[in-house]
């Protein structure tokens, strides 16, 4: 588990709720996107991205997301969701997620997201600010430090 999660600078712990299971007695596929959202927002909090919206009117918009299911998750369980940014362009960045089940001791799901910066005042795409780029690079550098130790 540690080797897998060391690849992710932000880890979000999420308890599985009984109501997230479907008729087939495992977590419904749509719930994983909520897990990704929770992890994404934790990453954004680390980067002070949500605070920036208040100041600049520029913030993140999810343009694309996907999930690859490997193992079904059932209640009770606690999940650890690792999140990281793997690629940045001028106006967007790519995130990856990995969901690890404490009960199974294994990765259950992998996901990706494309996040585009958006200027809500002018209703147009915006560039990633130099400050945000530096902050993301600093967050991502933490995983390199933890794998070297």
């Amino acid at each position: 588990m540690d080797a897998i999660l060391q690849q992710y600078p932000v880890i979000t712990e999420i308890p599985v709720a009984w109501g997230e299971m479907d008729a087939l007695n495992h977590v419904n596929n749509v719930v994983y996107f909520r897990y990704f959202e929770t992890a994404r927002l934790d990453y954004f909090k680390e980067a002070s991205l949500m605070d920036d919206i208040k100041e600049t009117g520029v913030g993140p918009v999810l343009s694309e997301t996907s999930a690859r299911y490997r193992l079904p998750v059932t209640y009770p369980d606690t999940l650890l969701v690792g999140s990281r940014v793997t690629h940045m362009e001028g106006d967007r960045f790519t995130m990856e997620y990995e969901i690890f089940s404490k009960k199974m001791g294994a990765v259950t799901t992998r996901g990706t997201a494309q996040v585009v910066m958006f200027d809500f005042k002018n209703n147009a795409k915006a560039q990633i600010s130099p400050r945000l780029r530096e902050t993301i690079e600093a967050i991502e550098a933490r995983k390199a430090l933890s794998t070297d130790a």
Side-chain angles (χ1 to χ4, degrees):
M1 170 178 75
D2 287 338
I4 293 167
L5 293 176
Q6 282 180 350
Q7 300 171 36
Y8 294 88
V10 178
I11 307 295
T12 302
E13 187 168 307
I14 301 174
V16 174
W18 171 261
E20 294 172 335
M21 293 197 307
D22 61 18
L24 298 175
N25 226 18
H26 57 74
V27 171
N28 186 279
N29 64 314
V30 76
V31 174
Y32 293 88
F33 291 99
R34 283 191 221 128
Y35 297 157
F36 294 158
E37 177 185 54
T38 299
R40 186 169 51 253
L41 288 173
D42 280 355
Y43 193 104
F44 290 174
K45 183 178 179 183
E46 287 272 331
S48 301
L49 193 51
M50 302 313 281
D51 295 332
D52 289 351
I53 293 174
K54 296 172 192 167
E55 292 176 29
T56 65
V58 174
V61 173
L62 185 66
S63 70
E64 182 180 328
T65 187
S66 67
R68 169 118 174 144
Y69 308 102
R70 301 184 70 197
L71 294 168
V73 173
T74 58
Y75 175 89
D77 200 348
T78 300
L79 306 175
L80 299 173
V81 185
S83 57
R84 64 185 173 196
V85 171
T86 58
H87 182 73
M88 283 192 282
E89 294 180 32
D91 64 351
R92 67 193 65 221
F93 54 91
T94 303
M95 295 190 76
E96 288 184 355
Y97 316 101
E98 208 157 31
I99 298 177
F100 184 89
S101 161
K102 284 187 171 183
K103 180 168 72 175
M104 290 184 271
V107 172
T108 67
T109 315
R110 290 191 172 116
T112 62
Q114 186 78 231
V115 179
V116 176
M117 297 307 293
F118 194 77
D119 182 337
F120 293 98
K121 292 177 186 173
N122 296 309
N123 201 30
K125 283 195 259 182
Q127 295 295 301
I128 296 173
S129 71
R131 189 177 77 68
L132 177 57
R133 186 175 297 278
E134 289 171 12
T135 301
I136 290 173
E137 288 169 353
I139 291 169
E140 293 303 315
R142 292 193 318 222
K143 72 180 176 214
L145 294 175
S146 67
T147 57
D148 291 342

